[in-house]
Amino acid sequence: MEIKSNNYLNFTDKAAQKIKDLIKIQKNNNLKLRIYINGGGCSGFQYQFIFDEKINKDDIIISKSGVALIVDPISLQYLYGGKIDYLENLEGSKFIVSNPNAKNTCGCGSSFSI
């Protein structure tokens, strides 16, 4: 299911631009950024990001500014209402998740608990 504007999960213009830049570097316009939840991390669950060409039949595709974010339904239940941004600072650069469902997060922001 493809979604243009939603309350499920959003990503910022800055994140969309970084996705676009990374796809250009890879020279593969079929790539989409997939976010999924994995068990582990210091708080119980971890956010994982990979570039993927494959779209599963139950995946949700969120489009913005000519790029797409893919999320599976199980991961979406943990991310519902969240936002993905891209941060660059002195510590480095990374995609970050603002997750209203997270009860606790670790110091680095890459893991959380429900």
Side-chain angles (χ1 to χ4, degrees):
M1 168 174 40
E2 184 162 359
I3 300 169
K4 299 264 188 227
S5 175
N6 70 86
N7 293 326
Y8 300 121
L9 180 63
N10 287 297
F11 57 109
T12 65
D13 291 336
K14 192 171 184 178
Q17 185 59 53
K18 187 60 180 182
I19 294 167
K20 197 177 285 189
D21 294 345
L22 292 170
I23 289 170
K24 190 174 186 179
I25 289 168
Q26 294 296 318
K27 298 177 182 170
N28 183 348
N29 290 331
N30 295 319
L31 291 175
K32 290 143 187 66
L33 184 66
R34 178 180 293 279
I35 181 171
Y36 63 98
I37 304 301
N38 211 4
C42 52
S43 294
F45 294 102
Q46 282 184 302
Y47 304 112
Q48 299 287 312
F49 293 94
I50 60 167
F51 277 103
D52 199 349
E53 289 183 85
K54 184 179 179 190
I55 299 172
N56 301 315
K57 67 178 181 173
D58 58 346
D59 282 340
I60 292 94
I61 305 163
I62 302 163
S63 299
K64 181 176 189 168
S65 302
V67 296
L69 180 71
I70 306 170
V71 63
D72 64 89
I74 293 172
S75 296
L76 183 61
Q77 71 183 351
Y78 296 105
L79 295 164
Y80 190 85
K83 179 176 73 173
I84 297 170
D85 197 2
Y86 186 75
L87 177 68
E88 290 184 38
N89 60 25
L90 293 175
E91 296 172 1
S93 57
K94 63 182 176 179
F95 289 101
I96 57 169
V97 179
S98 298
N99 187 347
N101 305 299
K103 301 292 184 228
N104 296 306
T105 59
C106 68
C108 68
S110 65
S111 70
F112 67 100
S113 66
I114 298 290

